[in-house]
Amino acid sequence: MSVSILIVDDEKDVGDLFRRRFRREIRSGDYTLHFAISGQKALDIIAQEVEPELMLILSDINMPGMSGLELLTEVKKILPHLPVVMITAYGDDENRKKAQDFGASEFMTKPIDFDDLKYTISMLVKKKVA
Amino acid sequence: MVVIVNQDTKTQLTPRIRLSSKITGLIFWGAVLTGLLVVAVFIKQSEDDQRLKQEYQAMMVIHELENVLAPQQVIDDIPKNNLQLQDVIENFKGKEKIAGVLVKIGDDEIMIGGVPKKSLTKTIHSNHIVDSKHGNKMIATIYFDPSYNNIYDGRKNLIAILGIISFAFGLIMNRILRSMLTNPINNMTETAAAYASGDKTVRFDDSKNDEFGFMSGFINKALDSSENMHIQLEESFHKQKIAKEKAEKALIDLEKAKDRLVQSEKLASLGQLTAGIAHEIKNPLNFINNFSETSVELLVELKEVLSLHLQSIDDDAREEITAIIEDLSGDMYTIAKHGKRADSIVKNMLMHSRDGGGERVVTDINNLVSEAIGLAYHGERAVDSNFQVEFQTNLEDNILNVMAVPQDITRVLINLLSNAFYATKKRKNNSHDDYLPIVQVTTKSKDDGVKIQIRDNGTGIPEDELKNLFTPFFTTKPTGQGTGLGLSISHDIITKQHDGIIGVNSIEGEHTEFIIWLPSFIADGKRFHASDTHIQKRKDDT
């Protein structure tokens, strides 16, 4: 079963980066990546009910328009059990605490440690499937 | 106190002294002249008395002669050897001091008695007896005994005595007046002059029970009160001076505090800017690091893929391709390495935006200091096994507690200590003599807080570098050895996070000393010492 992941970031290069980093996983079919350039676009994708079913959202916090934390709140309304990992350059305690309060599963800081991220994803998927 | 002697005052005193001398002189000469006048009057009186007496005696003589010659009012001649006449004269000679009488009537004359030398004479005319021939009046010339002058001489002595007495009187008066008037005036003048020339302790002689005594007493009182006033003025002047000095010092302190505040505001805004920049750099850095790493991975894969086909390519091309892939791998590795370096710099920069990060807890600063010394020393030894330093720690027993984020204060202390080590090492490398690196760490309670001093005998800091010491990115270390953020972050931690003060003093080539002050922990208006910690803990437990 392929793990369907939605990546939300206002920088398009982030999508390329994930695709490059998870190249092997994508090729082997372990991961299926979706990319949204804004919070609103992310909500649209969720509404379209992409295939396969979304297992995880990775979202930036500082974005123009809807912020990552606002998106998190919205997602938790629609899909309360969908894990959301917040990834931000602003790894301060205030953001960390907010993310936790709003129901984020994990809080990671940029630059992204992809080995760590892969481990986190596998743990979250295990938890969700269980 | 400096007293300026007014020269005019001195010259003004001279006429006054002259005045008092003049008064006594005037009185003296007045007395003498009065005496002389008295003497002159007396002499005149004596002469008048003598003249009157002579006239009276002469009249008595002529009267007696007239009585004797009375029957003949007009006579031809004076009867010679007239015993009666002789008797008259003898009688007078016995009673009065008459030596002889020359009786003359017309041309006829008779001398009765003797004519002494230096004799006084008195001539008198008779009104009754007239010369028969010519009608001339009888004339009697009386010769007085020279001893008659004795009366006058006796008076002369009296006059001399009077003169002496008047002179003596003048002299005595002079003396009395001098002691009563001139001397007190002179004394007062001298006292006043002494006072005027600066001796404020002199007082007028008020022992005499007279106007001078009273006046001196009053003046002394006035002087005393003036002196008291002067002392009070001096005191109040002194107080004012102290107050002024205090105010000036307060002003200087205020200026310093202002400068410090401005400086710390500047540094704070610089810190914010630094943090802001760091965040913005973080995103592109994210790509650089990750893409460089994936590029390295991709190149490994490329090599694997190519290895299957390289055999079919000619040698030159194969070598070239392999070399290019190696170069690319090397370049990507270098990019990844420096990306990581930039990342660590950015992480340090972000330390500036970690306000209220950690939780502040009641802390015994001595524990933190001891811990930091251990960590810093072992950290340094791990890098440089030859590192040597002598620690001189002086930690105050039972020091005041502070509210602190322990890991942040430790971070500051380690930063300062490793700077100290760096300075001593640098000095040791530059000198060939027996240099012993010493780092002194002192803690003590001060001004309702805790003072931590970290002093090294390293290279010291040049004066122009001191003012930039806490500025972000300011470093004197070679590139790659320091980010220039250690002290700026320490400054933030102490001043912004802990409301403390951090300062530095240094003499180039001698020492550098960092001083940190942290406010003490207060609960219920009380300050707690290190030994009170258990009380506080127990309080928290309940």
Side-chain angles (χ1 to χ4, degrees):
Chain A
M1 191 190 73
S2 181
V3 178
S4 185
I5 302 168
L6 172 60
I7 297 149
V8 190
D9 202 303
D10 61 317
E11 277 196 78
K12 204 178 133 297
D13 286 352
V14 171
D16 293 340
L17 178 63
F18 274 79
R19 270 189 279 278
R20 185 78 78 248
R21 276 294 194 178
F22 293 147
R23 206 165 46 85
R24 282 189 192 137
E25 288 79 3
I26 293 166
R27 206 189 295 159
S28 66
D30 287 347
Y31 290 178
T32 305
L33 296 191
H34 308 276
F35 185 77
I37 198 107
S38 71
Q40 193 53 54
K41 284 266 158 52
L43 288 176
D44 291 347
I45 291 171
I46 293 167
Q48 282 165 25
E49 292 184 7
V50 292
E51 283 296 325
E53 195 195 341
L54 275 184
M55 297 281 278
L56 184 69
I57 294 178
L58 306 177
S59 175
D60 186 20
I61 289 181
N62 286 58
M63 292 184 291
M66 183 184 285
S67 81
L69 291 172
E70 281 164 352
L71 173 67
L72 173 62
T73 318
E74 290 302 313
V75 168
K76 285 287 151 187
K77 278 181 200 164
I78 310 161
L79 301 163
H81 301 293
L82 183 68
V84 180
V85 176
M86 305 308 293
I87 300 174
T88 179
Y90 293 80
D92 51 284
D93 293 302
E94 200 188 328
N95 266 332
R96 190 182 291 271
K97 198 170 178 303
K98 267 187 190 166
Q100 215 169 11
D101 291 348
F102 290 4
S105 304
E106 277 295 331
F107 186 91
M108 302 186 84
T109 53
K110 291 178 184 177
I112 304 160
D113 182 337
F114 279 89
D115 293 331
D116 194 21
L117 181 61
K118 274 178 203 168
Y119 174 76
T120 306
I121 290 169
S122 66
M123 290 308 289
L124 287 171
V125 168
K126 244 186 226 170
K127 217 164 115 186
K128 193 169 190 296
V129 170
Chain B
M1 195 187 65
V2 182
V3 173
I4 298 156
V5 179
N6 191 346
Q7 290 301 318
D8 290 346
T9 324
K10 272 191 169 175
T11 49
Q12 276 169 11
L13 292 174
T14 325
R16 271 195 253 168
I17 291 165
R18 277 183 184 162
L19 184 71
S20 66
S21 306
K22 265 181 191 169
I23 289 169
T24 46
L26 219 64
I27 287 162
F28 172 69
W29 288 113
V32 170
L33 281 173
T34 311
L36 288 177
L37 199 69
V38 167
V39 168
V41 168
F42 222 86
I43 289 170
K44 177 79 167 59
Q45 198 67 43
S46 300
E47 278 172 356
D48 285 355
D49 280 2
Q50 193 186 4
R51 190 168 45 78
L52 281 170
K53 200 166 182 178
Q54 280 175 351
E55 262 172 28
Y56 173 73
Q57 283 174 335
M59 274 171 68
M60 289 295 287
V61 171
I62 209 91
H63 187 68
E64 285 297 318
L65 288 175
E66 277 172 352
N67 280 345
V68 173
L69 298 172
Q72 306 105 339
Q73 288 221 331
V74 179
I75 55 173
D76 294 330
D77 51 14
I78 301 159
K80 304 285 191 291
N81 300 318
N82 186 326
L83 286 171
Q84 274 184 304
L85 276 179
Q86 295 279 352
D87 282 348
V88 168
I89 301 303
E90 283 304 317
N91 196 25
F92 272 107
K93 269 172 75 178
K95 278 159 78 183
E96 307 292 341
K97 291 191 182 279
I98 292 170
V101 179
L102 177 66
V103 185
K104 199 175 172 184
I105 187 158
D107 298 330
D108 195 16
E109 60 177 27
I110 182 167
M111 182 70 211
I112 307 160
V115 179
K117 279 183 186 171
K118 288 183 178 178
S119 174
L120 291 169
T121 59
K122 177 79 191 168
T123 304
I124 192 160
H125 298 261
S126 171
N127 289 327
H128 302 289
I129 296 165
V130 185
D131 173 26
S132 60
K133 290 170 192 169
H134 310 288
N136 288 337
K137 287 180 177 172
M138 184 177 77
I139 299 164
T141 302
I142 296 133
Y143 292 87
F144 290 98
D145 194 295
S147 70
Y148 187 87
N149 280 340
N150 286 350
I151 305 162
Y152 181 60
D153 285 344
R155 291 198 170 182
K156 255 188 192 166
N157 289 338
L158 192 64
I159 287 160
I161 287 163
L162 270 172
I164 287 163
I165 285 169
S166 72
F167 184 81
F169 177 73
L171 213 61
I172 288 162
M173 281 300 284
N174 177 284
R175 288 287 153 201
I176 290 169
L177 282 171
R178 191 172 277 185
S179 83
M180 280 170 66
L181 215 63
T182 317
N183 286 347
I185 289 175
N186 283 347
N187 288 341
M188 285 180 80
T189 311
E190 277 166 19
T191 309
Y195 188 83
S197 58
D199 186 359
K200 300 296 177 198
T201 56
V202 291
R203 288 294 177 268
F204 292 93
D205 178 14
D206 57 356
S207 59
K208 285 205 173 87
N209 193 22
D210 59 8
E211 283 84 342
F212 285 111
F214 296 145
M215 191 157 76
S216 297
F218 293 140
I219 294 172
N220 284 347
K221 266 188 189 168
L223 288 182
D224 286 347
S225 73
S226 141
E227 193 58 30
N228 280 341
M229 207 179 284
H230 186 75
I231 290 165
Q232 280 171 4
L233 267 173
E234 287 263 304
E235 275 174 8
S236 87
F237 179 73
H238 186 63
K239 278 180 192 161
Q240 271 181 17
K241 205 176 149 194
I242 288 170
K244 188 173 163 250
E245 278 166 4
K246 268 188 188 167
E248 276 171 353
K249 195 183 169 289
L251 190 69
I252 290 165
D253 287 350
L254 209 63
E255 290 278 335
K256 274 186 189 163
K258 195 194 85 184
D259 288 349
R260 212 159 46 211
L261 209 63
V262 167
Q263 187 64 14
S264 97
E265 278 303 309
K266 268 190 202 163
L267 290 176
S269 56
L270 251 175
Q272 278 168 2
L273 186 68
T274 307
I277 292 168
H279 278 128
E280 292 314 309
I281 288 174
K282 242 182 162 184
N283 283 316
L285 206 56
N286 183 31
F287 294 119
I288 293 169
N289 285 342
N290 280 297
F291 277 116
S292 61
E293 275 180 37
T294 54
S295 298
V296 173
E297 284 170 21
L298 282 175
L299 285 169
V300 172
E301 279 182 38
L302 179 63
K303 266 199 265 182
E304 282 169 12
V305 174
L306 275 179
S307 65
L308 302 171
H309 307 286
L310 276 177
Q311 305 305 324
S312 56
I313 307 169
D314 68 275
D315 287 355
D316 284 352
R318 191 173 63 233
E319 260 177 41
E320 204 173 338
I321 288 167
T322 313
I324 288 170
I325 290 172
E326 287 302 323
D327 282 354
L328 263 176
S329 298
D331 290 356
M332 282 305 153
Y333 177 75
T334 309
I335 291 171
K337 193 179 83 182
H338 286 280
K340 285 211 172 67
R341 189 179 140 206
D343 197 47
S344 96
I345 292 170
V346 164
K347 272 196 186 120
N348 274 324
M349 285 164 78
L350 279 169
M351 284 289 179
H352 276 298
S353 68
R354 52 200 307 289
D355 277 353
E359 200 191 339
R360 285 172 74 173
V361 295
V362 180
T363 306
D364 175 1
I365 207 75
N366 286 348
N367 283 347
L368 287 192
V369 169
S370 307
E371 195 183 280
I373 289 171
L375 286 170
Y377 178 69
H378 293 298
E380 195 65 39
R381 290 280 290 194
V383 183
D384 174 9
S385 56
N386 292 322
F387 176 68
Q388 289 288 340
V389 70
E390 185 188 319
F391 280 108
Q392 294 177 354
T393 54
N394 184 10
L395 311 182
E396 186 182 282
D397 287 337
N398 203 16
I399 199 162
L400 280 169
N401 279 330
V402 293
M403 279 296 267
V405 183
Q407 63 269 31
D408 287 342
I409 295 297
T410 305
R411 185 188 164 84
V412 172
L413 294 173
I414 290 174
N415 180 255
L416 295 181
L417 286 165
S418 64
N419 281 349
F421 298 159
Y422 184 84
T424 57
K425 273 160 71 174
K426 206 172 159 191
R427 181 165 173 185
K428 194 172 187 178
N429 289 341
N430 293 343
S431 64
H432 301 286
D433 52 7
D434 296 335
Y435 168 71
L436 179 66
I438 297 170
V439 173
Q440 293 166 300
V441 185
T442 311
T443 63
K444 60 178 146 189
S445 303
K446 191 173 189 287
D447 299 336
D448 295 336
V450 166
K451 194 167 123 179
I452 308 158
Q453 286 162 283
I454 297 176
R455 185 188 174 106
D456 66 73
N457 63 345
T459 48
I461 302 166
E463 212 177 322
D464 57 324
E465 287 176 8
L466 274 177
K467 61 178 182 293
N468 288 322
L469 222 54
F470 297 108
T471 310
F473 302 112
F474 178 82
T475 181
T476 56
K477 290 177 184 169
T479 313
Q481 285 196 33
T483 57
L485 288 167
L487 283 177
S488 79
I489 290 165
S490 297
H491 187 273
D492 264 17
I493 289 171
I494 298 299
T495 60
K496 280 169 73 184
Q497 198 181 357
H498 289 87
D499 303 316
I501 298 166
I502 183 166
V504 62
N505 68 65
S506 180
I507 295 173
E508 202 181 350
E510 275 188 23
H511 77 271
T512 300
E513 182 178 50
F514 279 89
I515 300 165
I516 294 169
W517 179 86
L518 294 171
S520 67
F521 162 66
I522 302 179
D524 304 332
K526 270 177 78 181
R527 293 176 198 280
F528 291 87
H529 290 268
S531 66
D532 301 327
T533 312
H534 64 285
I535 300 168
Q536 189 58 29
K537 273 184 183 157
R538 207 182 297 157
K539 216 175 151 187
D540 291 342
D541 292 343
T542 49

